[in-house]
Amino acid sequence: MDALVEFILEILFEVLAEFGGILIGKLFNRVETDKKALKAWKIVIYSIITALIMTLLIVSLIYKKGVIVIAVLSYLGLLLIAYYLIFLFREVMVRKTGEIIVRWIMRFARYAFSITLIVLAFLYLTDEVAQILMLSGSAISIIIFVFIDAFRIYRYNNKIKIEEDIKD
């Protein structure tokens, strides 16, 4: 009986994963061709992430979890410095290489921050609900960042294909 349930769940998961892949592919195509859709998705995703980070900061302050507050404030400070450097490299110094380096550092910092929150949840949170919320929130953020990076790679590969077609 257990094998049958496992088999059914595996088939259901495969179908849902395939359906999700198709939806994500259609979303990538739509966002790639429509600049307004891309801008809207960026605003929505980054607004949600910002709201969740601020919520985490406020809840950590209320429950006096100093290590989590330090981690969140450090990440927010890093974001502030990174966006300032991106502005400087783009507008003042006009150095594309510096901007690209800062962006890559921030991409790695996103994953590091999410993994740090998972570790801090295990080390410093005693309430199981709080641990589950922190773990699920961090896992969702990692998944979202993977999708964002996958879209960037997809768009970069299409740009290269278009450039190669033009050269031929």
Side-chain angles (χ1 to χ4, degrees), residues 83-102:
Y83 286 125
Y84 177 71
L85 288 174
I86 289 170
F87 169 76
L88 279 178
F89 284 127
R90 182 186 298 157
E91 303 297 330
V92 178
M93 292 189 273
V94 191
R95 302 272 192 254
K96 185 78 172 166
T97 308
E99 180 183 348
I100 291 171
I101 291 170
V102 172

Side-chain angles (χ1 to χ4, degrees), residues 89-143:
F89 284 127
R90 182 186 298 157
E91 303 297 330
V92 178
M93 292 189 273
V94 191
R95 302 272 192 254
K96 185 78 172 166
T97 308
E99 180 183 348
I100 291 171
I101 291 170
V102 172
R103 288 189 186 279
W104 274 102
I105 291 170
M106 287 313 301
R107 287 180 187 141
F108 288 119
R110 291 176 186 157
Y111 293 108
F113 177 65
S114 297
I115 292 169
T116 301
L117 289 180
I118 291 171
V119 171
L120 291 177
F122 279 121
L123 293 177
Y124 293 102
L125 297 180
T126 55
D127 186 21
E128 285 185 31
V129 175
Q131 281 182 339
I132 291 170
L133 287 173
M134 182 84 83
L135 294 174
S136 60
S138 296
I140 290 170
S141 70
I142 290 172
I143 291 169

Side-chain angles (χ1 to χ4, degrees), residues 135-153:
L135 294 174
S136 60
S138 296
I140 290 170
S141 70
I142 290 172
I143 291 169
I144 289 171
F145 293 140
V146 165
F147 283 143
I148 289 170
D149 291 337
F151 175 72
R152 286 186 177 127
I153 292 168

Side-chain angles (χ1 to χ4, degrees), residues 10-146:
E10 188 173 322
I11 290 175
L12 180 65
F13 178 74
E14 290 292 327
V15 168
L16 289 175
E18 189 67 31
F19 184 68
I22 291 169
L23 285 177
I24 290 170
K26 288 185 183 232
L27 176 67
F28 281 5
N29 286 333
R30 168 113 193 262
V31 170
E32 183 181 22
T33 57
D34 187 5
K35 296 296 182 191
K36 279 187 173 182
L38 177 64
K39 189 173 185 177
W41 273 103
K42 280 183 177 180
I43 290 170
V44 167
I45 289 172
Y46 286 114
S47 296
I48 290 171
I49 290 171
T50 302
L52 291 174
I53 289 173
M54 295 310 291
T55 303
L56 176 63
L57 178 64
I58 292 168
V59 170
S60 298
L61 285 169
I62 291 171
Y63 288 103
K64 297 178 184 173
K65 298 295 181 185
V67 177
I68 297 173
V69 171
I70 291 170
V72 171
L73 289 177
S74 299
Y75 180 69
L76 291 175
L78 182 65
L79 278 176
L80 182 67
I81 292 167
Y83 286 125
Y84 177 71
L85 288 174
I86 289 170
F87 169 76
L88 279 178
F89 284 127
R90 182 186 298 157
E91 303 297 330
V92 178
M93 292 189 273
V94 191
R95 302 272 192 254
K96 185 78 172 166
T97 308
E99 180 183 348
I100 291 171
I101 291 170
V102 172
R103 288 189 186 279
W104 274 102
I105 291 170
M106 287 313 301
R107 287 180 187 141
F108 288 119
R110 291 176 186 157
Y111 293 108
F113 177 65
S114 297
I115 292 169
T116 301
L117 289 180
I118 291 171
V119 171
L120 291 177
F122 279 121
L123 293 177
Y124 293 102
L125 297 180
T126 55
D127 186 21
E128 285 185 31
V129 175
Q131 281 182 339
I132 291 170
L133 287 173
M134 182 84 83
L135 294 174
S136 60
S138 296
I140 290 170
S141 70
I142 290 172
I143 291 169
I144 289 171
F145 293 140
V146 165

